Amino acid sequence: MTIRIAMWSGPRNISTAMMRSFGSRADTAVSDEPFYGAYLKQSRAPHPMADEVIASMDCEWHSVLATLTGPIPQQRPIWYQKHMWHHLVGDVGAEQMQGFRHAFLIRDPAQMIASYRAKRERVTLDDLGLMKQADFFERECQRLGIAPPVIDANDVLADPQRTLSKLCSALDIAWDAAMLAWSPGRRETDGIWASHWYARVEASSGFEPGPAAPPTLDSDGKRLADACEPIYQQLAQHRL
């Protein structure tokens, strides 16, 4: 039996740490933002290392989808795929990923925005993908008849074993304590953009405590966080 997990997130939601966690399982292959190149090629968004990312990846929407629905790398039984909502600007969408177990990773908007702006000064609501995340969540609720799994980054950081074991149960896979730790450093499965975005994860060996105090945002950041808050709360009420 093969299991494909699509973990849908916005940027700076501990999504790379989650990929490390699943990559620590002996039964799981991982993929890092496979639609990123296609997104950049179509949108021409001024992201750091955009040209290098495009050159390093398959940038054709249907070709990427065919790969994601094809054989699992290394013949592993589980394939964990890290996805970003704002990447889906082409003619392929999450609804075409039939047979996947979809999960949703969220984070307090102010924390997400502060972390994002530390790496890329300009950020808009579209860059965070929350509206697309909430829309697909509602459609998955209707399709399944129950809410698909939602986890909050702060819950993971506060109690990794409890939150991740609940996630494994919701995804109908066995809990594996190996998910709590990993070796520092970069991985072959990391995107080329790791050199810009992944320094903290590369230095880590497990989940670290979350921030002790709320971040300080300027007026623009606060307006963006206020716009995100109702969407975040819509999803947060279903978190595991």
Side-chain angles (χ1 to χ4, degrees), residues 34-35 38 57-70 79 91-92:
F35 288 113
M57 300 184 72
D58 182 352
C59 296
E60 300 303 323
W61 294 100
H62 290 279
S63 176
V64 175
L65 180 62
T67 297
L68 298 179
T69 55
W79 191 354
D91 58 353
V92 166

Side-chain angles (χ1 to χ4, degrees), residues 102-114:
H102 297 282
F104 298 76
L105 176 62
I106 60 175
R107 188 182 188 187
D108 172 81
Q111 294 175 349
M112 178 169 56
I113 292 162

Side-chain angles (χ1 to χ4, degrees), residues 11-14 106-118 128 152-155 157 210-217 221 225 229 232:
R12 313 307 288 174
N13 280 17
I14 72 161
I106 60 175
R107 188 182 188 187
D108 172 81
Q111 294 175 349
M112 178 169 56
I113 292 162
S115 180
Y116 190 98
R117 292 176 84 180
L128 304 176
D152 191 300
N154 285 330
D155 292 336
L157 298 179
T216 300
L217 297 176
E229 187 65 22
Y232 165 76

Side-chain angles (χ1 to χ4, degrees), residues 89-132:
V89 298
D91 58 353
V92 166
E95 64 278 355
Q96 293 174 264
M97 299 171 69
Q98 302 296 320
F100 283 69
R101 300 181 187 181
H102 297 282
F104 298 76
L105 176 62
I106 60 175
R107 188 182 188 187
D108 172 81
Q111 294 175 349
M112 178 169 56
I113 292 162
S115 180
Y116 190 98
R117 292 176 84 180
K119 292 292 186 177
R120 181 177 180 235
E121 183 176 350
R122 183 180 179 274
V123 57
T124 68
L125 185 60
D126 286 343
D127 290 326
L128 304 176
L130 274 170
M131 296 180 71
K132 290 182 177 179

